[in-house]
Amino acid sequence: KMSPPVVEVKMKKKNKRSTEDVEAGGGAKKVKLQPVRASGTPTGSKTKTASPGGSGKKKAAASGRAWTMGSDPLKGRIMVATRDLEVGEVILNEQPLVAASWHEHRCLECHEPHAASTCKEVAAKYPKTVAEKMDDIEEALGTIDGFDELDMSRRLIKLLNLARLQPERAELTRPCTAHNMDKCRAIIKDIKAHKVACVIVPAEVKDEEAARLLAVLNTNSHELGEWGGSGFFPLACLSEHSCQANCAFSTSGTELWVTVVQRVKSGAPLSIDYCDATFEPTAVRQAHLLEDYGFECVCERCTTQPDRARAFLCPEAGCTSKICPVGLGKKPSDWKCLTCRTQLSKPTRIRYKKIEKALADEGPQDLEEIDEVLEHDVFHESHYIIIDALVELGEAMAKDDEQVRNGGAEAIWKRIIRLANEVLPEVHHRKAIYYDNLAQVQVAKGDLGAAKVSLTKAYQVTEKACGKDSPLCQQARQLMLNPPQVLLSRSESLMASCNAILSQLPDLPPFPDLPPLPHLPPHAPFPSFPEY
């Protein structure tokens, strides 16, 4: 499956889930970002833009560079297409400047399952006062307000150390947005006042610069779900935001791939969806972006287009279409049927919004409640409250053997896919995930032919959403060509996961032979007990 699109790493958010040195990806020797060559790689950068094996590299070079740095008076540095781009074209393949795991048993540098304070790489890269106390430092940072996430603490430690060792590479953060500076200044102040954690801020890095680096990490980090952590990608974060983005990103290991998902004309800015607001309404998306990134989104989807996540039934007799308010739906004229153009009356509009607010707080929990809500002739089936409830129900049904056998789980996922095709753009990574979920249910049911069809559709979406040479697409292709014959039971799946973890542990030395036990004198006979 694909990793979720951009995930903003908040300061006070707990982890949703619980190798090698991954500090590659910068590489530029000058502070100034250099001219862009084929597929948008700045000259001198170690960032990849070609596909594995080299075939994509030849194609990229043949078609010319994909993007260059541009400037916007409000947004600052942005990525601009230098030629027409087609759907499925990979325009960037990048390794993080810094990345860190959220798993406590993993070392922050080598990613091996051992204490960081005993790691040779840590000893070689950090001052002795930091290296020898690294485990204590990580624990200390967890007590500071704003560091609820281990991977965030580790990324800051690594970036501050990078600023000490290679300040020119740390300058790659300079064009990036640094939101919530006041909070970050307060956190740095708390760190410097802590008797253990204070050593992570090098003398070469001023407090204001340390706060800026923290703000950059907080605003621009991407989740690496499969790898189990997060990373900062200085080039990818230059993409501007749009709720109907023309590009999307996916991750595999610590690599990030940016792929075109809508045709782009030369000169157009390249955008990604910062918050992966798949079915969220406009108001929720805008609130998220304002809180976490400090700007109010004014893209076309937020201002001039119908909000397809909020779909209500048209009350006009004989009309089976839906009403999706334009933008935030502030004006009465924003509430018109997409087909017959009937405008919703004020009393009906107030009634619809009141019911929507009540169900947004506590939505339907099962299929019976979902159908009961739809019977009131208020919500269209593609309303985000209904789709969210169906997805949650589909995930639960997939774990229910009875629902799998009787076809209930399969029917739910087919319904979700049908509605997703109504709401989502033609190319969207969620569709691949839903087809994959459907295939898993079909395999468990024993319908391998149907599962192969679903896996083929998942591959076709993934090819366009991630690029045919990306690792995720290669995985999807292998599943399509060699679909599983049976799904593992929960106990088998757990055992496989345990074996996978054990296989990554280092080999332990053989247990030494124990010396022979000393000769003990014979013990005295036990006293006899009286009979009762």
Side-chain angles (χ1 to χ4, degrees), residues 265-446:
K265 291 292 185 181
S266 178
L270 300 173
S271 59
I272 58 177
D273 183 354
Y274 285 7
C275 54
D276 185 27
T278 306
F279 297 115
E280 289 181 350
T282 300
V284 175
R285 296 195 311 272
Q286 288 190 331
H288 182 175
L289 292 164
L290 185 61
E291 177 185 357
D292 293 336
Y293 295 92
F295 69 87
E296 181 179 352
C297 185
V298 291
C299 71
E300 291 184 359
R301 185 182 174 192
C302 286
T303 54
T304 62
Q305 293 184 358
D307 187 354
R308 293 186 176 275
R310 300 176 68 197
F312 302 90
L313 289 174
C314 177
E316 187 70 14
C319 183
T320 59
S321 188
K322 53 189 175 182
I323 293 174
C324 298
V326 173
L328 294 171
K330 292 183 177 180
K331 300 180 297 183
S333 59
D334 292 336
W335 293 74
K336 290 183 179 181
C337 176
L338 298 180
T339 302
C340 71
R341 305 306 295 166
T342 296
Q343 182 173 309
L344 210 60
S345 65
K346 183 176 181 180
T348 304
R349 189 169 68 250
I350 293 174
R351 173 173 169 261
Y352 279 12
K353 293 169 71 174
K354 184 177 180 179
I355 295 173
E356 181 185 47
K357 186 179 185 302
L359 287 173
D361 296 333
E362 185 176 356
Q365 301 297 313
D366 54 38
L367 193 57
E368 183 178 350
E369 291 185 6
I370 292 173
D371 291 337
E372 184 179 347
V373 169
L374 293 175
E375 286 174 1
H376 285 80
D377 293 336
V378 173
F379 289 155
H380 189 274
E381 193 181 14
S382 61
H383 193 286
Y384 80 94
I385 290 176
I386 302 300
I387 293 182
D388 285 348
L390 286 171
V391 170
E392 189 172 341
L393 182 61
E395 291 172 348
M397 281 188 170
K399 301 174 184 177
D400 187 329
D401 293 340
E402 179 61 28
Q403 291 291 345
V404 171
R405 284 194 298 269
N406 65 24
E410 182 179 12
I412 287 291
W413 283 109
K414 286 183 175 180
R415 186 176 178 182
I416 292 168
I417 290 170
R418 174 174 56 81
L419 296 174
N421 284 328
E422 288 188 34
V423 178
L424 298 180
E426 180 181 355
V427 179
H428 198 284
H429 72 281
R430 290 277 175 173
K431 293 182 181 181
I433 294 174
Y434 295 157
Y435 277 119
D436 180 78
N437 290 345
L438 174 60
Q440 292 184 48
V441 169
Q442 290 167 332
V443 169
K445 185 183 175 184

Side-chain angles (χ1 to χ4, degrees), residues 507-513:
D507 294 332
L508 297 176
F511 198 78
D513 294 333

Side-chain angles (χ1 to χ4, degrees), residues 53-281:
S55 59
K57 186 173 183 179
K58 295 178 182 178
K59 293 178 182 178
S63 56
R65 64 187 187 179
W67 60 270
T68 188
M69 293 290 182
S71 180
D72 183 273
L74 295 178
K75 302 171 185 175
R77 297 276 187 115
I78 59 174
M79 297 169 67
V80 178
T82 55
R83 56 178 173 79
D84 292 350
L85 303 175
E86 298 298 326
V87 173
E89 184 172 350
V90 176
I91 61 171
L92 180 65
N93 174 211
E94 187 178 10
Q95 285 282 356
L97 185 65
V98 290
S101 172
W102 56 49
H103 295 300
E104 292 183 8
H105 67 283
R106 296 288 183 187
C107 172
L108 86 163
E109 279 294 339
C110 69
H111 200 59
E112 291 298 323
H114 60 224
S117 57
T118 65
C119 179
K120 293 181 180 179
E121 288 191 33
V122 172
K125 291 184 178 181
Y126 293 84
K128 188 175 181 180
T129 54
V130 177
E132 292 182 349
K133 297 286 187 180
M134 188 64 77
D135 302 318
D136 295 334
I137 291 170
E138 289 181 357
E139 185 176 351
L141 287 174
T143 66
I144 295 176
D145 184 25
F147 278 104
D148 296 335
E149 300 166 335
L150 179 59
D151 56 318
M152 179 180 177
S153 302
R154 288 173 167 176
R155 280 185 285 108
L156 179 62
I157 293 171
K158 297 178 77 169
L159 188 54
L160 288 173
N161 192 56
L162 186 67
R164 177 183 69 90
L165 295 175
Q166 298 175 283
E168 73 280 0
R169 293 188 67 197
E171 282 295 312
L172 291 172
T173 65
R174 191 65 60 185
C176 304
T177 303
H179 179 52
N180 212 346
M181 278 293 293
D182 289 341
K183 176 66 175 177
C184 293
R185 291 186 185 102
I187 292 176
I188 294 299
K189 183 178 179 180
D190 290 342
I191 290 175
K192 296 201 71 174
H194 197 285
K195 63 180 181 180
V196 176
C198 62
V199 294
I200 71 168
V201 183
E204 299 89 340
V205 179
K206 296 182 179 179
D207 292 1
E208 184 69 11
E209 176 64 3
R212 187 191 68 82
L213 293 174
L214 174 59
V216 166
L217 289 177
N218 181 64
T219 310
N220 299 281
S221 294
H222 290 61
E223 181 178 315
L224 300 169
E226 176 193 10
W227 185 72
S230 54
F232 167 67
F233 299 83
L235 292 180
C237 72
L238 296 179
S239 303
E240 68 175 34
H241 165 79
S242 174
C243 295
Q244 53 174 13
N246 52 31
C247 296
F249 89 83
S250 56
T251 62
S252 178
T254 58
E255 283 187 298
L256 181 143
W257 299 65
V258 178
T259 310
V260 178
V261 294
Q262 295 183 31
R263 295 185 68 181
V264 179
K265 291 292 185 181
S266 178
L270 300 173
S271 59
I272 58 177
D273 183 354
Y274 285 7
C275 54
D276 185 27
T278 306
F279 297 115
E280 289 181 350

Side-chain angles (χ1 to χ4, degrees), residues 41-52:
T41 307
T43 304
S45 171
K46 294 181 181 178
T47 300
K48 301 176 184 178
T49 56
S51 59

